[in-house]
Every structure is written in C-alpha cells, then in structure tokens.
Amino acid sequence: MAKALIFDFDGTILDTETPWYEAFRALYAEHKVELTLEQYSQCIGTSLHLFNPYEYLITDCGIAIDRDVFRSRVHEKHAELMKQETVRPGVISFLESAKAAGLRIGLASSSRLEWITPYLDKLELTSYFECIQTADHVKLVKPDPSLYLQTISILGIPAGDAIAIEDSPNGAKSAIAAGLHCVVLPNKITQYLDFGNITQHGQSLADISFEHLINDPSGFLAKPAV
C-alpha cells in the first residue's frame, strides 16, 4: 500500500504548458516562423538548456527583436490563455482522498517556487502539500531524479512507497529514475510527445481509481521496457 503521493505541477495539476506553447507559437507566427511541437517539447517539464523559446528567434533565426518586449508579450498572451484553464479533472478528488487516508502529499516541480505559489494559493491547494520542492532546491531539474529523491527524503518515505503523478516524458523519466511508482497522465499538449516505452494511464486522474492505485501501486509502475 502506498504511503505518499507526489504531484508534478505544470501540466499535471494545472495545464500551464499548452497555453505556453500556444503563446510562443502565436508570437513566432508574427515573424513567419513555425514553432513545432518537436522543437518546443525539448523544454517541457525541464529547463531551457536544450531549447530556449525566448532566444531561438534571435540566436537561430537571426531575427532582430527586443528580448524584453518579446518576453513581456509572451507572458501577456499566456496570461490571457490561462484564464480558460482550471484544475485538471480528478486532482482535487485525489488530494482530498489522500488527505483523508493519511497519506503524505508532496509536490516536485522543475519550475520556480515564485511561479507555482501564486497558482496554488489562488486555487486554494497550498495547504494540501507538506513538502514543495522546485528548481530553487536542486542543481538539476527533471529528467534528473534529484527533485523526487529530495522530496521523498523530506517526507521520510522510501521510493517504493511513493507514487508520482506526471504528465510529461521528462517528469516520468525523473520519477522512474528515482524509483517511484508513476502514474502518467498526458495533457492536451504532452499527449503528442514521444514517451517511448513509458506506460500512459489515461487522460486525467478522473480515469484512475484512487483505491486501486493506493492499494496496488505496482500495477501502475510506469517504466520503460528492458
């Protein structure tokens, strides 16, 4: 029986990822540049070290734009698109069930705390999490396992007793590398990414039985085929 649930944030609790892609794609289109999902996927669920969508037009396309103005416009477009987003289906139910069952609840995100906190507070979700680990707390973010290893260490739970809830390949790889069970629930954009042999479990937590998951987490161990 599982003793802890550890949630990713972006794309898992709240789909902030699809609006980011749509915002960048719209601004790229103004410069007649197509931003493919293949390109953008390199920075989903991780840092911008492989692909930086704020710099690509300048560094790779040779387009002279004001970095600050471009960043500001992307953020404005993202904020506009985020007005249509709500907590993903099943998340609140799972949090309530985990709390009632006495499970430890953590959050492990490759984003910064200053990005996550306002959303959690606005959605009234902060109190559910006894441990929140972000890019501020580790040297390497997902797919490196550090975020999950640090979270389970703080919670005092062995990796095999914890279940990660993820939406992206990078997030799933991180949880798997840390030895956690992992439920993979792609969102509107990550469903098109290449998960390789990593098992996907549905469209949202609404597709998962809480009791089944907690009592038999081994049945949800998302791992690549050997």
Side-chain angles (χ1 to χ4, degrees):
M1 181 175 180
K3 297 179 180 178
L5 284 184
I6 303 176
F7 287 76
D8 170 52
F9 178 71
D10 290 286
T12 298
I13 291 177
L14 184 67
D15 187 4
T16 60
E17 292 171 343
T18 301
W20 276 127
Y21 176 55
E22 294 299 337
F24 277 112
R25 192 168 68 166
L27 270 294
Y28 273 50
E30 291 184 5
H31 298 280
K32 302 187 185 306
V33 175
E34 179 186 4
L35 176 61
T36 67
L37 184 54
E38 182 180 5
Q39 288 174 304
Y40 188 72
S41 67
Q42 296 177 79
C43 64
I44 293 178
T46 184
S47 64
L48 304 182
H49 70 285
L50 289 179
F51 178 75
N52 189 328
Y54 293 104
E55 295 291 328
Y56 181 76
L57 291 179
I58 300 172
T59 60
D60 290 66
C61 300
I63 299 174
I65 59 174
D66 186 301
R67 284 179 171 86
D68 293 334
V69 171
F70 181 72
R71 178 179 291 271
S72 177
R73 291 194 62 204
V74 169
H75 281 246
E76 288 174 2
K77 182 64 175 177
H78 180 264
E80 176 187 334
L81 293 171
M82 280 301 298
K83 293 177 182 178
Q84 305 171 33
E85 297 294 332
T86 59
V87 178
R88 290 191 67 193
V91 169
I92 293 177
S93 174
F94 256 68
L95 287 171
E96 286 287 352
S97 295
K99 184 177 180 180
L103 270 63
R104 313 294 294 277
I105 307 175
L107 188 149
S109 170
S110 292
S111 293
R112 295 285 179 185
L113 191 60
E114 65 179 2
W115 165 256
I116 295 170
T117 300
Y119 281 112
L120 290 179
D121 289 346
K122 180 180 179 181
L123 298 169
E124 299 183 344
L125 298 178
T126 306
S127 62
Y128 286 105
F129 301 100
E130 58 182 293
C131 173
I132 297 177
Q133 294 295 290
T134 68
D136 304 280
H137 303 108
V138 294
K139 291 182 179 180
L140 297 174
V141 295
K142 304 170 186 177
D144 187 90
S146 297
L147 275 165
Y148 278 109
L149 291 173
Q150 191 155 302
T151 302
I152 60 174
S153 176
I154 293 171
L155 292 176
I157 300 293
D161 290 340
I163 301 170
I165 312 295
E166 278 286 354
D167 74 294
S168 72
N170 283 320
K173 290 174 183 176
S174 174
I176 292 166
L180 279 71
H181 302 283
C182 184
V183 173
V184 181
L185 302 160
N187 57 49
K188 287 180 289 185
I189 187 170
T190 58
Q191 66 179 322
Y192 297 110
L193 302 185
D194 182 9
F195 280 82
N197 293 319
I198 296 175
T199 304
Q200 299 172 49
H201 295 99
Q203 296 182 334
S204 72
L205 282 174
D207 297 328
I208 304 293
S209 163
F210 176 81
E211 290 75 16
H212 183 191
L213 174 63
I214 300 307
N215 291 318
D216 183 25
S218 62
F220 290 84
L221 183 59
K223 60 182 179 179
V226 177

